[in-house]
Amino acid sequence: MSLPACFVAASDAASPIPLLVLDRAAYPGWREKQDAATLAWLDANAFTPSAGSFMLLPGDDGRPRAVLAAVADANDPLALSHLPQLLPPGDYALDAASPVRIDTALALLGWGLGAYKFDKYVAPTRPPARLVLAGDPGGDGREFALLRAATLVRDLVNTPTEHMGPADLQATAERL
């Protein structure tokens, strides 16, 4: 099975940037463990861990060394869905040291839904950020089945009626 463009197998990832997931409750404890430069960066950018907010943390070389992503509910499949289109293109991996654990299957679904672009008529202006999938990225296929179904429905809804008539819908149904 080929991976959607917003995912990359761990073996193919080029130095992924760690993605730290946190919430309001975990943020103070995480913050206490940070060095002075990180604290100064967070304060200078007025970072608050409100749901949907994120912050790139700079490394010594000026490139991002990590991303903080704040969520309200780690069980919400859309908790990280905004990131593929907002983060700079590149590879990102959920960090095992994240203060908040997020279900990998939910992260995969949300990331894939957030990366969706209807590109039948206009090519995307930039690639989405890619989420690194640890282990077997194909798995048993169930992880991607819901994402593929949602993408198909979005494509059907977004296709103008002059290009998606009854015969086209029938052909899609028969293909399924």
Side-chain angles (χ1 to χ4, degrees):
M1 178 182 112
S2 64
L3 290 173
C6 61
F7 299 109
V8 62
S11 59
D12 297 328
S15 302
I17 299 168
L19 182 63
L20 296 160
V21 181
L22 46 80
D23 59 14
R24 285 186 182 273
Y27 181 67
W30 176 85
R31 187 179 159 89
E32 287 175 1
K33 299 174 188 169
Q34 302 311 304
D35 60 27
T38 299
L39 294 174
W41 182 259
L42 293 169
D43 292 342
N45 287 283
F47 179 76
T48 59
S50 56
S53 64
F54 71 95
M55 175 64 56
L56 292 164
L57 299 177
D60 294 335
D61 61 358
R63 294 185 176 150
R65 68 173 165 86
V67 175
L68 295 181
V71 300
D73 180 2
N75 294 316
D76 178 1
L78 300 178
L80 302 178
S81 65
H82 58 294
L83 295 176
Q85 298 300 332
L86 296 177
L87 290 174
D91 298 340
Y92 298 84
L94 291 171
D95 193 319
S98 285
V100 172
R101 293 278 187 229
I102 191 160
D103 181 84
T104 306
L106 292 177
L108 181 142
L109 176 61
W111 197 275
L113 290 173
Y116 172 81
K117 287 287 187 187
F118 182 66
D119 59 4
K120 187 170 184 172
Y121 305 106
V122 178
T125 56
R126 72 173 196 101
R130 300 188 314 174
L131 183 63
V132 174
L133 301 178
D136 178 15
D140 60 10
R142 283 189 260 169
E143 293 86 4
F144 293 109
L146 187 55
L147 180 57
R148 283 193 307 266
T151 300
L152 173 61
V153 170
R154 285 177 165 186
D155 284 345
L156 291 171
V157 168
N158 289 327
T159 302
T161 54
E162 62 264 18
H163 296 154
M164 184 55 66
D168 300 304
L169 288 173
Q170 180 180 351
T172 300
E174 288 173 354
R175 207 171 42 247
L176 290 173

